[in-house]
Amino acid sequence: MNFKIPIILAQQRKPSTGLCWLLAICVVFFGCKNNTKPYHLANRDIRSAVAAMTEIMVHNITNPPLAARFFAYSCLAGYEVIAQNDASYAGMYGVLNQYPKISKPDTVQQADYQLAAMLAMLETAKKMQPSGKLLDSLQNNLLDSCRLNGMDEAVIQPSQRYALAIAKQILAYAKADGYNKISNLPRYTPQTGEAYWYPTPPGFLAAVEPYFNTVRPFTLDSVSQFLPPRPIAFNAAKHSSFLDLTEAVYKEGLSLSDEHRAIAAFWDCNPFAMQDEGHLQFGFKKISPGAHWLGITGIACEKANKDFNASMKLHMAVAVTLMDAFICCWDEKFRSNRIRPETAIRRYIDPSWTPLLQTPPFPEYLSGHSVISAASATILTHALGDHFAYTDSVEVSYGLPPRSFSSFKQAAEEAGISRFYGGIHFTDAISNGMDQGFKVGEWSYQKLFRR
């Protein structure tokens, strides 16, 4: 890689926050409550866990598909405890591919199952993330809040044992999904030829997760179940359909309105963007697209007054759907392997052009954000309605002002077109990506909710 020296990492928010933000989450969500009332878990507690997991993945620079995998198994662990104790909810045995019967330990009769669900979620996340131990502070604050509100150790300790037993079984299921075999596959080499993706500046980073389509999906019959149409064929000749696509991205980049700039920035979600400053190269860490949509899920559950169990189910459903959407999208990305607008514009139109957003390190077609946004929006729309208005404040701590939406579909459509405004996707990758995402979301919803 052509890195200049040195590389300086900087979080895209006030330097004083950093990972200490985890402690602030604990205070906000798990702070002392009225000691005369029992401690009841709620959607806010799930939101705090998702936020803390997100912060750790930002710290670890976790790529978007892998972040979705972490979220999916962690939320699945929490939900499985709910399903074992609330007859309104069914476990995922017979629903998810190769999902085993998750056994409930015999020695946890005194456990608080909702506390066990939260702890199972955290224990799974701790084992799957390189800096997972940083979740200990969140977990300890949760337990301290329970004690302060009168929960006896005779309840807390079996709840912890229950959580560990479920997490162990979910982690075994995760280990069997094939992701750990990817490291044994040959190092990915970009294809040669004008039509194909090639690493882009400033980092010229290697391709992200080129073998993600080898990972076992949760609900899909196969990773190619919802194959999109072939992308518009590469043709560098003037007035070709491909060059028309390229010209459209170029012209948009030259005349961006303030609103289009704001939309592109809001949905950027690039876990590790880089910026040249003289002889230095700065890295700006941001959340992943999946983390953004799980944040939206928490906001929506709060507005809809969803109780703890219903909120855990919806977080699990969105997380599982995110994983399947990424698998489908990545399967197509490395099949079509299409050149990025930045490369095509510099080569055929304007050698000095740069996109508003930094081009991510993987092929262009399909637009990942379009796929996963449409899939997530489909789950949330089925659960909460076609016209569920909300304000998205997920990235306020990352310096981005909130935006309001009249529906989840409107938000998904804005997320998709943001990639065009940002100069990193052609329009057919966005429209066909949205179509694939809606299909994945509908399929996943039918599997998870309509058995």
Side-chain angles (χ1 to χ4, degrees):
M1 292 191 289
N2 298 326
F3 288 128
K4 298 177 181 178
I5 55 169
I7 296 177
I8 299 176
L9 300 181
Q11 299 274 31
Q12 189 171 334
R13 59 177 172 279
K14 294 180 181 179
S16 59
T17 54
L19 283 171
C20 293
W21 186 62
L22 289 174
L23 297 177
I25 293 172
C26 299
V27 172
V28 171
F29 292 99
F30 295 142
C32 296
K33 313 236 179 358
N34 188 331
N35 288 347
T36 64
K37 296 180 180 179
Y39 184 80
H40 292 296
L41 287 161
N43 171 64
R44 65 177 180 271
D45 301 303
I46 300 172
R47 289 181 68 186
S48 73
V50 169
M53 291 164 61
T54 297
E55 184 72 7
I56 287 173
M57 284 187 264
V58 168
H59 174 71
N60 292 333
I61 318 176
T62 306
N63 68 61
L66 188 55
R69 181 174 179 266
F70 286 156
F71 280 125
Y73 288 113
S74 299
C75 292
L76 187 57
Y79 175 72
E80 189 61 41
V81 179
I82 300 299
Q84 290 183 352
N85 293 276
D86 185 339
S88 303
Y89 299 91
M92 290 293 105
Y93 177 72
V95 178
L96 304 184
N97 295 326
Q98 300 175 16
Y99 192 73
K101 289 185 177 180
I102 304 297
S103 61
K104 181 178 180 179
D106 296 328
T107 59
V108 296
Q109 290 86 351
Q110 301 302 314
D112 181 294
Y113 80 87
Q114 290 184 335
L115 174 59
M118 277 300 306
L119 295 174
M121 186 178 179
L122 293 172
E123 289 292 346
T124 303
K126 284 162 61 176
K127 294 294 192 299
M128 293 189 72
Q129 298 175 39
S131 299
K133 287 291 289 180
L134 293 170
L135 289 171
D136 281 345
S137 60
L138 183 69
Q139 184 168 315
N140 291 337
N141 273 268
L142 170 61
L143 295 174
D144 287 345
S145 290
C146 291
R147 294 184 181 102
L148 285 169
N149 284 274
M151 187 177 287
D152 194 89
E153 288 297 326
V155 174
I156 291 175
Q157 291 184 21
S159 301
Q160 291 177 295
R161 293 197 301 272
Y162 192 177
L164 287 168
I166 297 300
K168 182 178 180 181
Q169 294 175 77
I170 294 296
L171 288 166
Y173 177 58
K175 187 176 181 179
D177 73 1
Y179 184 79
N180 61 349
K181 298 178 181 178
I182 287 178
S183 60
N184 297 324
L185 297 174
R187 183 181 177 88
Y188 180 81
T189 302
Q191 293 186 40
T192 56
E194 288 184 287
Y196 301 120
W197 171 80
Y198 196 79
T200 49
F204 296 96
L205 301 176
V208 166
E209 301 293 0
Y211 301 111
F212 203 66
N213 67 341
T214 65
V215 178
R216 176 193 62 211
F218 283 108
T219 69
L220 302 172
D221 290 340
S222 74
V223 297
S224 56
Q225 184 172 348
F226 298 111
L227 280 179
R230 298 303 298 161
I232 290 177
F234 175 83
N235 186 339
K238 279 190 174 183
H239 308 302
S240 68
S241 296
F242 176 79
L243 209 61
D244 286 345
L245 283 180
T246 307
E247 288 275 5
V249 177
Y250 176 66
K251 290 176 181 178
E252 174 66 23
L254 295 179
S255 58
L256 277 168
S257 67
D258 290 342
E259 175 66 0
H260 286 187
R261 288 178 180 273
I263 289 171
F266 186 79
W267 295 103
D268 186 12
C269 303
N270 185 345
F272 191 43
M274 305 184 74
Q275 179 178 326
D276 286 327
E277 292 287 349
H279 294 291
L280 301 179
Q281 200 165 64
F282 292 84
F284 292 91
K285 299 181 181 181
K286 306 173 189 178
I287 70 174
S288 67
H292 195 145
W293 275 98
L294 279 170
I296 292 171
T297 302
I299 289 170
C301 286
E302 199 74 26
K303 182 175 180 181
N305 293 316
K306 291 289 184 182
D307 64 19
F308 180 83
N309 293 6
S311 182
M312 185 68 82
K313 170 71 181 281
L314 194 50
H315 277 81
M316 179 277 293
V318 171
V320 163
T321 303
L322 280 167
M323 174 73 164
D324 280 359
F326 270 113
I327 290 174
C328 271
C329 180
W330 253 242
D331 177 59
E332 178 57 39
K333 276 186 179 293
F334 288 90
R335 177 186 296 106
S336 53
N337 219 308
R338 187 161 73 173
I339 186 175
R340 283 279 183 172
E342 179 174 7
T343 306
I345 291 170
R346 288 185 170 190
R347 188 180 293 165
Y348 305 114
I349 300 174
D350 181 351
S352 64
W353 186 86
T354 56
L356 175 65
L357 302 182
Q358 187 174 124
T359 301
F362 35 80
E364 189 271 342
Y365 188 87
L366 298 161
S367 159
H369 221 326
S370 300
V371 177
I372 68 100
S373 295
S376 301
T378 300
I379 297 293
L380 292 171
T381 298
H382 274 301
L384 300 172
D386 288 323
H387 304 290
F388 190 94
Y390 68 97
T391 297
D392 180 350
S393 57
V394 173
E395 296 200 55
V396 167
S397 62
Y398 293 83
L400 293 173
R403 291 182 67 83
S404 295
F405 300 94
S406 61
S407 69
F408 300 113
K409 184 178 180 182
Q410 183 205 6
E413 290 172 344
E414 185 178 280
I417 198 63
S418 74
R419 318 317 263 173
F420 175 69
Y421 299 155
I424 60 176
H425 275 294
F426 301 112
T427 52
D428 64 335
I430 295 167
S431 59
N432 291 336
M434 295 287 291
D435 287 345
Q436 186 187 70
F438 287 133
K439 291 174 182 176
V440 172
E442 188 63 37
W443 176 268
S444 183
Y445 175 77
Q446 296 298 328
K447 285 273 190 173
L448 299 174
F449 289 89
R450 304 283 292 183
R451 285 184 289 162

Short mmCIF file of all heavy atoms in Angstrom, two decimals, residues 128-163:
data_model
loop_
_atom_site.label_atom_id
_atom_site.label_comp_id
_atom_site.label_asym_id
_atom_site.label_seq_id
_atom_site.Cartn_x
_atom_site.Cartn_y
_atom_site.Cartn_z
N MET A 128 -16.67 -12.26 20.31
CA MET A 128 -16.55 -12.15 18.87
C MET A 128 -15.79 -10.91 18.41
O MET A 128 -15.42 -10.82 17.25
CB MET A 128 -17.94 -12.14 18.23
CG MET A 128 -18.69 -13.46 18.36
SD MET A 128 -20.20 -13.52 17.39
CE MET A 128 -19.52 -13.64 15.73
N GLN A 129 -15.57 -9.96 19.31
CA GLN A 129 -14.90 -8.73 18.93
C GLN A 129 -13.51 -8.67 19.58
O GLN A 129 -13.36 -9.00 20.75
CB GLN A 129 -15.73 -7.53 19.36
CG GLN A 129 -17.08 -7.48 18.69
CD GLN A 129 -17.94 -6.34 19.21
OE1 GLN A 129 -17.46 -5.26 19.48
NE2 GLN A 129 -19.22 -6.60 19.36
N PRO A 130 -12.51 -8.24 18.83
CA PRO A 130 -11.14 -8.21 19.38
C PRO A 130 -11.02 -7.41 20.67
O PRO A 130 -10.26 -7.79 21.56
CB PRO A 130 -10.33 -7.54 18.24
CG PRO A 130 -11.10 -7.86 17.01
CD PRO A 130 -12.54 -7.85 17.41
N SER A 131 -11.77 -6.32 20.78
CA SER A 131 -11.74 -5.51 22.01
C SER A 131 -12.99 -5.72 22.84
O SER A 131 -13.44 -4.82 23.55
CB SER A 131 -11.59 -4.02 21.64
OG SER A 131 -10.39 -3.79 20.93
N GLY A 132 -13.54 -6.92 22.78
CA GLY A 132 -14.79 -7.21 23.46
C GLY A 132 -14.74 -7.02 24.96
O GLY A 132 -15.77 -6.72 25.59
N LYS A 133 -13.57 -7.15 25.57
CA LYS A 133 -13.46 -6.97 27.01
C LYS A 133 -13.89 -5.57 27.44
O LYS A 133 -14.22 -5.35 28.61
CB LYS A 133 -12.02 -7.23 27.46
CG LYS A 133 -11.61 -8.68 27.44
CD LYS A 133 -12.32 -9.49 28.52
CE LYS A 133 -11.82 -9.14 29.90
NZ LYS A 133 -12.52 -9.94 30.95
N LEU A 134 -13.88 -4.63 26.51
CA LEU A 134 -14.31 -3.27 26.84
C LEU A 134 -15.80 -3.22 27.19
O LEU A 134 -16.26 -2.22 27.76
CB LEU A 134 -14.02 -2.32 25.68
CG LEU A 134 -12.53 -2.09 25.38
CD1 LEU A 134 -12.36 -1.34 24.07
CD2 LEU A 134 -11.87 -1.32 26.52
N LEU A 135 -16.52 -4.28 26.88
CA LEU A 135 -17.93 -4.34 27.26
C LEU A 135 -18.12 -4.69 28.73
O LEU A 135 -19.24 -4.64 29.25
CB LEU A 135 -18.68 -5.36 26.39
CG LEU A 135 -18.90 -4.97 24.93
CD1 LEU A 135 -19.44 -6.15 24.14
CD2 LEU A 135 -19.87 -3.80 24.83
N ASP A 136 -17.05 -5.05 29.40
CA ASP A 136 -17.15 -5.40 30.82
C ASP A 136 -17.73 -4.26 31.65
O ASP A 136 -18.51 -4.49 32.58
CB ASP A 136 -15.78 -5.79 31.38
CG ASP A 136 -15.38 -7.21 31.00
OD1 ASP A 136 -16.25 -7.97 30.56
OD2 ASP A 136 -14.19 -7.54 31.16
N SER A 137 -17.35 -3.02 31.33
CA SER A 137 -17.85 -1.89 32.11
C SER A 137 -19.36 -1.75 31.97
O SER A 137 -20.06 -1.46 32.95
CB SER A 137 -17.15 -0.59 31.67
OG SER A 137 -17.39 -0.32 30.31
N LEU A 138 -19.87 -1.96 30.77
CA LEU A 138 -21.31 -1.90 30.55
C LEU A 138 -22.01 -3.01 31.32
O LEU A 138 -23.03 -2.79 31.99
CB LEU A 138 -21.60 -2.02 29.05
CG LEU A 138 -23.07 -1.91 28.63
CD1 LEU A 138 -23.57 -0.49 28.81
CD2 LEU A 138 -23.23 -2.33 27.18
N GLN A 139 -21.46 -4.20 31.26
CA GLN A 139 -22.05 -5.34 31.93
C GLN A 139 -22.03 -5.15 33.45
O GLN A 139 -23.03 -5.42 34.14
CB GLN A 139 -21.28 -6.61 31.55
CG GLN A 139 -21.87 -7.89 32.12
CD GLN A 139 -21.24 -9.12 31.48
OE1 GLN A 139 -21.09 -9.19 30.26
NE2 GLN A 139 -20.88 -10.09 32.28
N ASN A 140 -20.93 -4.64 33.98
CA ASN A 140 -20.83 -4.43 35.42
C ASN A 140 -21.82 -3.37 35.89
O ASN A 140 -22.40 -3.49 36.98
CB ASN A 140 -19.41 -4.04 35.80
CG ASN A 140 -18.42 -5.18 35.62
OD1 ASN A 140 -18.81 -6.35 35.64
ND2 ASN A 140 -17.15 -4.86 35.43
N ASN A 141 -22.00 -2.33 35.10
CA ASN A 141 -22.97 -1.30 35.48
C ASN A 141 -24.39 -1.82 35.46
O ASN A 141 -25.22 -1.43 36.29
CB ASN A 141 -22.83 -0.08 34.56
CG ASN A 141 -21.79 0.90 35.03
OD1 ASN A 141 -22.09 1.84 35.75
ND2 ASN A 141 -20.55 0.65 34.64
N LEU A 142 -24.69 -2.69 34.51
CA LEU A 142 -26.00 -3.31 34.47
C LEU A 142 -26.25 -4.12 35.74
O LEU A 142 -27.30 -4.00 36.38
CB LEU A 142 -26.11 -4.20 33.23
CG LEU A 142 -27.33 -5.13 33.15
CD1 LEU A 142 -28.62 -4.32 33.14
CD2 LEU A 142 -27.25 -6.00 31.91
N LEU A 143 -25.28 -4.93 36.12
CA LEU A 143 -25.43 -5.76 37.31
C LEU A 143 -25.52 -4.90 38.58
O LEU A 143 -26.30 -5.20 39.49
CB LEU A 143 -24.28 -6.75 37.41
CG LEU A 143 -24.22 -7.80 36.28
CD1 LEU A 143 -22.96 -8.64 36.39
CD2 LEU A 143 -25.46 -8.69 36.31
N ASP A 144 -24.73 -3.84 38.63
CA ASP A 144 -24.78 -2.94 39.79
C ASP A 144 -26.16 -2.29 39.90
O ASP A 144 -26.69 -2.12 41.01
CB ASP A 144 -23.71 -1.86 39.69
CG ASP A 144 -22.31 -2.40 39.95
OD1 ASP A 144 -22.21 -3.53 40.49
OD2 ASP A 144 -21.33 -1.72 39.60
N SER A 145 -26.75 -1.90 38.77
CA SER A 145 -28.09 -1.31 38.79
C SER A 145 -29.12 -2.30 39.31
O SER A 145 -30.02 -1.94 40.06
CB SER A 145 -28.47 -0.84 37.39
OG SER A 145 -27.72 0.28 37.00
N CYS A 146 -28.96 -3.55 38.90
CA CYS A 146 -29.88 -4.58 39.39
C CYS A 146 -29.75 -4.73 40.91
O CYS A 146 -30.76 -4.85 41.63
CB CYS A 146 -29.59 -5.90 38.70
SG CYS A 146 -30.01 -5.92 36.94
N ARG A 147 -28.52 -4.74 41.40
CA ARG A 147 -28.31 -4.89 42.85
C ARG A 147 -28.87 -3.69 43.61
O ARG A 147 -29.51 -3.84 44.65
CB ARG A 147 -26.82 -5.04 43.14
CG ARG A 147 -26.21 -6.34 42.59
CD ARG A 147 -24.75 -6.49 42.98
NE ARG A 147 -24.18 -7.72 42.44
CZ ARG A 147 -23.39 -7.76 41.37
NH1 ARG A 147 -23.06 -6.64 40.72
NH2 ARG A 147 -22.91 -8.92 40.96
N LEU A 148 -28.62 -2.49 43.08
CA LEU A 148 -29.11 -1.29 43.74
C LEU A 148 -30.63 -1.25 43.80
O LEU A 148 -31.21 -0.62 44.68
CB LEU A 148 -28.59 -0.04 43.02
CG LEU A 148 -27.11 0.30 43.24
CD1 LEU A 148 -26.66 1.37 42.27
CD2 LEU A 148 -26.89 0.76 44.69
N ASN A 149 -31.27 -1.92 42.87
CA ASN A 149 -32.72 -1.93 42.84
C ASN A 149 -33.31 -3.19 43.47
O ASN A 149 -34.46 -3.54 43.22
CB ASN A 149 -33.20 -1.78 41.40
CG ASN A 149 -33.07 -0.36 40.90
OD1 ASN A 149 -33.96 0.46 41.11
ND2 ASN A 149 -31.95 -0.04 40.28
N GLY A 150 -32.49 -3.85 44.28
CA GLY A 150 -33.02 -4.92 45.12
C GLY A 150 -32.95 -6.32 44.56
O GLY A 150 -33.47 -7.25 45.18
N MET A 151 -32.32 -6.52 43.40
CA MET A 151 -32.22 -7.87 42.87
C MET A 151 -31.19 -8.65 43.66
O MET A 151 -30.05 -8.22 43.83
CB MET A 151 -31.86 -7.85 41.39
CG MET A 151 -31.92 -9.24 40.74
SD MET A 151 -31.56 -9.22 38.95
CE MET A 151 -33.06 -8.48 38.32
N ASP A 152 -31.58 -9.81 44.13
CA ASP A 152 -30.73 -10.62 45.00
C ASP A 152 -29.67 -11.38 44.18
O ASP A 152 -29.89 -11.71 43.02
CB ASP A 152 -31.60 -11.61 45.77
CG ASP A 152 -30.85 -12.25 46.92
OD1 ASP A 152 -30.89 -11.69 48.03
OD2 ASP A 152 -30.23 -13.31 46.71
N GLU A 153 -28.55 -11.67 44.83
CA GLU A 153 -27.49 -12.45 44.17
C GLU A 153 -28.00 -13.83 43.78
O GLU A 153 -27.49 -14.45 42.84
CB GLU A 153 -26.27 -12.59 45.09
CG GLU A 153 -25.47 -11.31 45.24
CD GLU A 153 -24.86 -10.82 43.94
OE1 GLU A 153 -24.47 -11.67 43.10
OE2 GLU A 153 -24.78 -9.60 43.75
N ALA A 154 -29.00 -14.33 44.51
CA ALA A 154 -29.58 -15.63 44.18
C ALA A 154 -30.30 -15.60 42.83
O ALA A 154 -30.59 -16.64 42.25
CB ALA A 154 -30.55 -16.07 45.28
N VAL A 155 -30.59 -14.40 42.33
CA VAL A 155 -31.17 -14.23 41.00
C VAL A 155 -30.08 -13.87 39.99
O VAL A 155 -30.06 -14.37 38.86
CB VAL A 155 -32.27 -13.14 41.01
CG1 VAL A 155 -32.78 -12.87 39.61
CG2 VAL A 155 -33.40 -13.55 41.93
N ILE A 156 -29.17 -13.00 40.39
CA ILE A 156 -28.14 -12.51 39.47
C ILE A 156 -27.20 -13.63 39.03
O ILE A 156 -26.90 -13.78 37.84
CB ILE A 156 -27.35 -11.36 40.13
CG1 ILE A 156 -28.25 -10.12 40.26
CG2 ILE A 156 -26.09 -11.03 39.32
CD1 ILE A 156 -27.61 -8.98 41.00
N GLN A 157 -26.75 -14.44 39.97
CA GLN A 157 -25.76 -15.47 39.62
C GLN A 157 -26.31 -16.52 38.66
O GLN A 157 -25.64 -16.86 37.67
CB GLN A 157 -25.20 -16.09 40.89
CG GLN A 157 -24.32 -15.13 41.69
CD GLN A 157 -23.69 -15.75 42.90
OE1 GLN A 157 -23.58 -16.98 43.00
NE2 GLN A 157 -23.27 -14.92 43.85
N PRO A 158 -27.52 -17.06 38.89
CA PRO A 158 -28.03 -17.99 37.88
C PRO A 158 -28.32 -17.30 36.53
O PRO A 158 -28.24 -17.94 35.48
CB PRO A 158 -29.32 -18.54 38.51
CG PRO A 158 -29.66 -17.62 39.62
CD PRO A 158 -28.37 -17.04 40.09
N SER A 159 -28.64 -16.02 36.56
CA SER A 159 -28.83 -15.28 35.31
C SER A 159 -27.53 -15.22 34.52
O SER A 159 -27.51 -15.36 33.29
CB SER A 159 -29.33 -13.85 35.59
OG SER A 159 -30.56 -13.87 36.29
N GLN A 160 -26.43 -15.03 35.23
CA GLN A 160 -25.11 -15.02 34.58
C GLN A 160 -24.78 -16.39 34.01
O GLN A 160 -24.26 -16.51 32.90
CB GLN A 160 -24.04 -14.57 35.58
CG GLN A 160 -24.14 -13.11 35.98
CD GLN A 160 -23.11 -12.72 37.02
OE1 GLN A 160 -23.13 -13.21 38.16
NE2 GLN A 160 -22.20 -11.86 36.65
N ARG A 161 -25.06 -17.45 34.79
CA ARG A 161 -24.79 -18.81 34.30
C ARG A 161 -25.64 -19.12 33.07
O ARG A 161 -25.17 -19.73 32.10
CB ARG A 161 -25.06 -19.83 35.40
CG ARG A 161 -24.11 -19.76 36.58
CD ARG A 161 -24.16 -21.05 37.41
NE ARG A 161 -25.50 -21.32 37.93
CZ ARG A 161 -25.97 -20.86 39.08
NH1 ARG A 161 -25.22 -20.07 39.84
NH2 ARG A 161 -27.18 -21.18 39.49
N TYR A 162 -26.87 -18.68 33.12
CA TYR A 162 -27.79 -18.88 31.98
C TYR A 162 -27.23 -18.21 30.73
O TYR A 162 -27.15 -18.80 29.64
CB TYR A 162 -29.14 -18.30 32.37
CG TYR A 162 -30.31 -18.63 31.45
CD1 TYR A 162 -31.59 -18.19 31.79
CD2 TYR A 162 -30.16 -19.38 30.28
CE1 TYR A 162 -32.69 -18.48 30.97
CE2 TYR A 162 -31.25 -19.67 29.49
CZ TYR A 162 -32.51 -19.22 29.83
OH TYR A 162 -33.59 -19.50 29.02
N ALA A 163 -26.80 -16.97 30.89
CA ALA A 163 -26.26 -16.21 29.76
C ALA A 163 -25.04 -16.88 29.16
O ALA A 163 -24.90 -17.00 27.93
CB ALA A 163 -25.91 -14.79 30.20
#
